[in-house]
Amino acid sequence: MLIGNDDEIQFAGKQLLDKLQAKNILLTLGSKGMALFESNGAYSHVQTKTRKVADVSGAGDTVISTMTAAMIGGANEREAASLANYAASIVCEEVGIVPIEVDKLKAEIIAREVNE
């Protein structure tokens, strides 16, 4: 299935929730951010945080690991998705597969919140 616009994204996310009987589905959309679908019917679009992409290697793994760690730490799905999006933006600005460091993630969030 080709996914191009918001209606198609929402259709695909809802189909995945239904077919997989998942609690949540998070679709990464590259420069368009992320789409979070929750089993309660909630849909959230997480705007991209990327400024300058150098390499997307490892970005998906960063999203998965950051979201998982955030949820284990008590974040809800939306908070975890937002945090994962920040983390992915950091690793995409580096060349190669790089780890996400907590201090760098905190600094990025603070800097972006101040500028928004």
Side-chain angles (χ1 to χ4, degrees):
M1 169 189 302
L2 291 176
I3 300 174
N5 62 42
D6 195 55
D7 290 337
E8 292 168 346
I9 292 167
Q10 288 190 43
F11 178 78
K14 289 175 184 174
Q15 290 283 24
L16 283 169
L17 267 177
D18 184 51
K19 288 184 180 187
L20 298 174
Q21 297 186 3
K23 184 176 176 185
N24 305 293
I25 296 287
L26 180 68
L27 300 178
T28 58
L29 307 171
S31 64
K32 295 180 182 178
M34 298 183 200
L36 175 65
F37 299 87
E38 299 176 62
S39 59
N40 65 6
Y43 164 73
S44 303
H45 182 249
V46 183
Q47 294 292 331
T48 187
K49 307 286 190 249
T50 303
R51 291 180 298 219
K52 179 180 162 191
V53 175
D55 188 348
V56 297
S57 299
D61 293 332
T62 299
V63 168
I64 293 167
S65 59
T66 303
M67 187 154 183
T68 301
M71 291 180 72
I72 288 171
N76 66 38
E77 290 82 355
R78 291 180 195 155
E79 293 166 337
S82 180
L83 191 62
N85 201 24
Y86 276 107
S89 74
I90 293 169
V91 300
C92 286
E93 291 177 343
E94 303 289 333
V95 175
I97 299 171
V98 297
I100 184 70
E101 297 173 7
V102 174
D103 291 338
K104 194 168 186 179
L105 181 57
K106 282 183 189 178
E108 179 70 14
I109 292 167
I110 292 167
R112 298 255 178 123
E113 295 300 319
V114 168
N115 291 326
E116 289 182 0

